[in-house]
Amino acid sequence: MNSSALIMMLATEIVVTLVTIYFFIKVLKTPPKEEPDSFSENDK
Amino acid sequence: MSNNKEAWGSRVGLILAMAGNAVGLGNFLRFPVQAIQNGGGAFIIPYLVCFLLMGIPLLYVEWSMGRFGGKNGHHSTPFILDSMDKRKFWKYIGVFGIFTNLAVAAYYCYLESWTLSWVWHSVTGSFSGQSQAQVASFFGNYISLETLEPIVFWIICLVLNTWILSKGLSGGVEKVAKVGMPLLILFGAILAFIAVTLKAGDHGAINDGTLGLNFLWTPDFSTIWSPKVWLAAAGQIFFTLSVGMGSIQCYASYVRSKDDIALNAMSAGWMNGFVEIVLGSAIIIPISVGYLGIDTVVEMTKNGGLGLGFKTLPYLFDQFGGALGVMCGVLWFGLLFFAGITSSLAMGTPCMGFMQDEFGWKREKAAWAFGFVVLLLGLPTVLFFNYGVFDEYDYWAGTVSLVVFALFEIILFAWVFGMDKGWKEITTGADIKVPIIFKYIIKFVTPLMLAWVFISSLPGIWSQIKNEAIDKQILAATDPAVIEQLQTQLLYVNISRVGLLLVWLGIAYLVYIAYKKRIKEGRFTS
């Protein structure tokens, strides 16, 4: 691959992947709100 | 009285369902083709700018509208919009949020059934040893209904969708998303690895797979100022996120008012971006360029990526030989199937929510009624595919209707409901700090961008109404049989257009009846 294509691809894919992972981890790490919340699995 | 007691099982399930709603066949078939036709790697600049200025704002708006409507027991757009302003006409604008889902589901389920059928044919070795022309002709024979197989797979697909919908949000839609989305990403990652590591000389490939990546990602910065490229990027962002459909509002209406929507919207939106940019760019173009070369691929993608995906890739996978070829076929069409079904399920929920809320239907009844209406509406797209009915549905329901509805809803949210109240809706319960700049982007930039997309599409809409493309073909044709075929096509296209209009009016009438019923029962309207 030529360098401009490689830079474009890697820069974009790294940024998009990191942002996606960041938000998803934040979702996983955020504790659920007090009941009653929107999610039935938290009711148990 | 509403029978709607639906709820999401878990937050991850909601996000995967919402991401699954957005991730569709276009992530793998449309995005890479748009990129190579609009400046290669440079396309990503307008794409990401449009994502920030139009995609993210619309996600915030639709999620918050949905949660706002849900507070008052509204789970479909007619009465969600109605609850945001005292003027009575908004509920009829909300009709678009049901119409689009019904009409798109009508043809999308047929497309989805192809992927199921192609999985089956990959397993049974139907493409084994066939030439490229034979595989392409297989597709042609399939859509020409030379056997009843397409109808059988379509019915299976419809019944499967309806059955899952009848199990409800947490018991059906969410379960499918929790299985389908991880599998889709896994399948995509395996195929991307195979595509990128493809070497010239291996299994008959003439180029390395990386030549395709190089072709797709090499930036042509001269295109960056072209309005056509920006319009293509805006269109891609619009369609990939499933905004302007009414399905995001429906899913979000089951989120309680104190729970987060801002982080959820970002997580689902970026997940869709990951699938599109990272996986979508690394499969179809690298494999196709590896076997066919750049010029052939450019020629083949002039009419979009559908042909490449269904007519060419099965032949190319067969070149891998043996178990690897079969596995790649199953992974590719399996991936497209999961992308499709997680989207088509999202199309069912607003229609069901409306019947449950307004007419007190039970979930199962609403689901099977949705399936039956999709069957009736979809039948012309199956039977008269070769007469342009499928494309006509796609144009009006899958393109124009989305833009019109999104333009109305952003005006309602930012200018009628009011941005101060709107901002409060977006940020209430937020688990992230939403940058304040989005308040101004939503108020000024996004409406202008949507207006630009709509105005730019007006000449195309007018041309479509006048059937200019078919008329030109009729004028250019000399063979009487071809002229007769085109005139029949014109007739079917016009009938399907009138049919879609009647569907819209029928839903509007149902909304009117629901409104009168609410008044009679003393239930909340606006």
Side-chain angles (χ1 to χ4, degrees), chain B residues 6-7 73 93 199 284 295 303 325 332 356 373 380 422 455 461 469 500 514:
Chain B
E6 295 292 338
I93 301 296
K199 293 279 170 212
I284 193 165
D295 293 341
N303 292 321
W332 172 245
Q356 287 172 274
V373 174
I455 291 166
I461 293 172
L500 287 174

Side-chain angles (χ1 to χ4, degrees), chain B residues 45-56:
Chain B
I45 295 170
Y47 176 91
L48 288 177
V49 170
C50 289
F51 181 55
L52 291 174
L53 299 182
M54 197 174 79
I56 290 178

Side-chain angles (χ1 to χ4, degrees), chain B residues 270-299:
Chain B
W270 281 92
M271 205 178 283
N272 174 71
F274 169 80
V275 170
E276 180 150 291
I277 295 168
V278 179
L279 300 179
S281 67
I283 301 174
I284 193 165
I285 299 298
I287 294 181
S288 304
V289 169
Y291 277 96
L292 306 171
I294 290 172
D295 293 341
T296 310
V297 170
V298 168
E299 193 56 40

Side-chain angles (χ1 to χ4, degrees), chain A residues 2 33-34 36-38 40-41, chain B residues 8-9 214 256 258-259 429:
Chain A
N2 64 54
K33 297 218 164 55
E34 276 180 33
D37 72 354
S38 312
S40 57
E41 286 175 15
Chain B
W8 290 104
N214 189 59
R256 286 180 185 252
K258 70 181 172 68
D259 281 324

Side-chain angles (χ1 to χ4, degrees), chain B residues 19 48 79 98 108 118 158 164 244 256-257 291 294-295 337 348 354 382 388 396 419-420 434 462 473 486:
Chain B
L48 288 177
F79 287 97
I98 293 182
Y108 200 81
W118 260 239
L158 267 181
I164 294 167
R256 286 180 185 252
S257 53
Y291 277 96
I294 290 172
D295 293 341
F337 175 71
F354 177 74
V382 178
W396 292 108
M419 206 49 232
D420 289 335
V434 185
W462 183 238
Q473 287 178 49
L486 287 167

Side-chain angles (χ1 to χ4, degrees), chain B residues 120-136:
Chain B
W120 168 252
H121 284 293
S122 299
V123 173
T124 55
S126 301
F127 306 120
S128 180
Q130 296 213 350
S131 67
Q132 194 181 343
Q134 282 172 317
V135 175

